[in-house]
Amino acid sequence: MRDALHEIVEEFADTPKELRLPLLLDFANALPALPERLEDDRDSMEPVEECQAPLFLAVEVQPDEVRLFFDAPPEAPTSRGFASVLHQGLDGATPEEVLATPNDFYLSMGLDELVTPLRMRGMAGMLARVKRRVAEGMPAAS
Amino acid sequence: MPVEFDQDPKIQAYAHPERLVTTEWLAAHLDDPGLVVAESDEDVLLYDTGHIPGAVKIDWHADLNDPLTRDYVDADAFAALMSAKGIAPDTTIVFYGDQNNWWAAYALWVTSLFGHADVRLLDGGRKKWMDEGRPMTTEVPSPAPAGYPVTERDDSVIRAYREQVLAHIGNGKLVDVRSPGEYSGELLHMADYPQEGALRGGHIPTAANVPWRRAANEDDGTFLPADQLAAIYQDEIGLGTGDDVIAYCRIGERSSHTWFVLTHLLGFDNVRNYDGSWVEWGNAVRVPIEK
């Protein structure tokens, strides 16, 4: 797992249970706004149906860097929080690092007692979509 | 002494006007002694982003569901929860939340299983309060423990189990409050929502389909006026206030909303919520299913 993401997972796991939701809220508040080019072209973003609230993502794949963009409304802070974890953990990673992220990386964050399994699946849905976009965006092996 | 009731004419037209309050009423009564406002949301973080001043948070997953068994918390845990939120047996609880009070109605229903007497919903919920520019805060209250006595949960009156639903087919009325696509079996889950693991699609035989959201105005999330609710549930699908009715959805949350409408707004005497709902029925072996 990429170091940046691993550190976030550890940070959640090391935080006392009652402070994990406030921590997730900090992440939700830290989710950056969309850059203007996407703000004007939201139709190009992919809806994440596994999330219980509207969430859209866009992935830009360069040979050595993946850029991630997420958009979710303020009334969906949990989805924003999950998106922000992925953003801080994987934005700027190489395509190989993104693809090497374990699909169940979030299980070690200690959020399962606080957030329903259904919601946690939103995180899996986001990661799966990011990985698929990255795989599609990589140059074909020659 | 219960906190006074809302005399708003729309609310007074319901069968049990003491179960609903307007945002105006709540704004004027926020500081009343004996009143606790409780927010219950679908999104577990929403309360923390801001809530009605003085409101406590009751989380349907972490607070009301048993962490091990698929059931509600037991009497000890419920008493501890109420006490910690500053709620005594004679406290008036006003529930509100996101998504047209979907989870607020669920929390109200669970609270009713434990026999808490004075429970009310805020008409229009969180969205209406915010749309009207009313105050919100991130300050979390620290109520003094209220000393709630341990009261046994009574599942016999407003809750139905699978065996009871099975025996009910052909003998009583069933209302499926899911979307038409879930009812018909085309979808195994709500549109735009994740699959929750039902192996079969369709509905319980004889159930009528009235999606829960029809009971609310689309613009502000308030309940439809009494006569419009009666037109849906009584005229359109032929329910009578004396009928033995069971409502269900996917895990019993949307049907808590319909249970509230039928019981408290239309005055039905005998409505139960089947909280096992489709996640149980659509996975159960040898129960009848219609498409």
Side-chain angles (χ1 to χ4, degrees):
Chain A
M1 197 186 313
R2 188 176 185 236
D3 284 350
L5 186 60
H6 188 246
E7 280 165 22
I8 295 171
V9 170
E10 300 239 296
E11 185 182 0
F12 272 92
D14 293 343
T15 297
K17 187 180 155 191
E18 65 275 12
L19 294 177
R20 280 181 206 146
L21 284 184
L23 180 60
L24 188 60
L25 187 58
D26 289 344
F27 274 88
N29 291 333
L31 183 66
L34 289 179
E36 208 165 307
R37 64 180 188 281
L38 282 170
E39 190 71 60
D40 297 338
D41 188 23
R42 282 172 188 251
D43 289 350
S44 70
M45 298 184 75
E46 176 173 354
V48 180
E49 288 165 6
E50 291 83 0
C51 287
Q52 287 188 274
L55 188 130
F56 294 83
L57 64 83
V59 183
E60 292 175 0
V61 188
Q62 304 297 332
D64 56 352
E65 186 184 61
V66 175
R67 299 301 315 275
L68 301 178
F69 304 93
F70 296 94
D71 185 39
E75 63 267 22
T78 300
S79 294
R80 287 179 64 86
F82 287 175
S84 184
V85 166
L86 285 178
H87 185 265
Q88 291 188 31
L90 292 177
D91 185 50
T94 64
E96 291 75 16
E97 284 174 325
V98 172
L99 294 177
T101 306
N103 292 336
D104 59 355
F105 80 92
Y106 56 87
L107 293 179
S108 332
M109 292 170 72
L111 284 171
D112 46 315
E113 290 167 58
L114 304 164
V115 180
T116 64
L118 187 57
R119 268 201 172 279
M120 292 304 299
R121 232 175 291 170
M123 182 87 95
M126 280 183 228
L127 178 62
R129 284 160 193 274
V130 167
K131 285 170 106 169
R132 199 189 64 225
R133 292 268 164 162
V134 169
E136 287 168 1
M138 285 174 84
S142 51
Chain B
M1 239 337 247
V3 176
E4 69 166 271
F5 301 124
D6 192 335
Q7 299 303 320
D8 178 86
K10 178 204 160 196
I11 286 185
Q12 286 300 319
Y14 294 122
H16 296 292
E18 71 279 13
R19 296 302 184 180
L20 199 63
V21 300
T22 56
T23 49
E24 292 79 14
W25 182 94
L26 185 60
H29 288 80
L30 270 186
D31 298 325
D32 282 16
L35 175 91
V36 170
V37 182
E39 176 162 341
S40 288
D41 294 318
E42 182 193 15
D43 191 303
V44 68
L45 277 183
L46 199 50
Y47 169 91
D48 305 273
T49 67
H51 50 264
I52 295 177
V56 297
K57 172 183 180 179
I58 295 183
D59 184 71
W60 69 277
H61 173 62
D63 291 331
L64 297 176
N65 275 265
D66 187 275
L68 188 59
T69 316
R70 187 179 165 196
D71 199 357
Y72 300 104
V73 290
D74 63 18
D76 288 330
F78 183 77
L81 173 69
M82 292 292 108
S83 188
K85 302 294 179 186
I87 297 169
D90 60 351
T91 299
T92 298
I93 312 176
V94 175
F95 287 101
Y96 76 100
D98 62 353
Q99 308 271 16
N100 291 351
N101 280 329
W102 173 352
W103 302 95
Y106 187 57
L108 183 148
W109 176 76
V110 174
T111 305
S112 301
L113 288 174
F114 289 92
H116 191 93
D118 192 356
V119 287
R120 312 182 193 182
L121 275 186
L122 173 66
D123 201 17
R126 181 183 166 97
K127 182 174 183 298
K128 184 160 194 284
W129 181 274
M130 290 185 71
D131 285 352
E132 292 170 346
R134 298 185 186 276
M136 300 287 279
T137 181
T138 53
E139 197 178 312
V140 176
S142 333
Y148 204 91
V150 174
T151 43
E152 285 309 313
R153 201 178 70 213
D154 181 357
D155 292 334
S156 68
V157 181
I158 61 170
R159 186 181 188 192
Y161 296 135
R162 188 183 69 195
E163 300 73 24
Q164 295 168 324
V165 176
L166 199 55
H168 195 77
I169 299 171
N171 296 310
K173 302 288 178 63
L174 278 160
V175 187
D176 183 321
V177 315
R178 297 173 302 159
S179 59
E182 294 171 272
Y183 176 82
S184 69
E186 287 165 50
L187 296 175
L188 278 168
H189 54 99
M190 274 180 283
D192 303 329
Y193 275 62
Q195 156 69 289
E196 277 187 309
L199 288 172
R200 290 290 187 269
H203 57 267
I204 301 175
T206 76
N209 182 217
V210 182
W212 70 285
R213 221 182 265 278
R214 285 187 63 193
N217 283 302
E218 277 181 30
D219 50 347
D220 65 359
T222 55
F223 288 106
L224 295 177
D227 57 336
Q228 291 181 35
L229 291 177
I232 295 173
Y233 295 99
Q234 285 156 274
D235 304 342
E236 192 178 310
I237 63 165
L239 299 182
T241 54
D243 285 349
D244 186 0
V245 181
I246 294 177
Y248 72 92
C249 56
R250 173 187 58 126
I251 55 171
E253 9 68 71
R254 283 177 284 178
S255 43
S256 302
H257 192 272
T258 301
W259 168 85
F260 181 88
V261 168
L262 294 175
T263 301
H264 292 320
L265 301 186
L266 289 175
F268 281 57
D269 300 319
N270 193 3
V271 183
R272 285 174 289 168
N273 179 23
Y274 169 40
D275 57 276
S277 277
W278 199 257
V279 167
E280 177 174 63
W281 199 271
N283 287 315
V285 176
R286 300 182 76 225
V287 297
I289 289 175
E290 235 171 48
K291 271 201 170 182

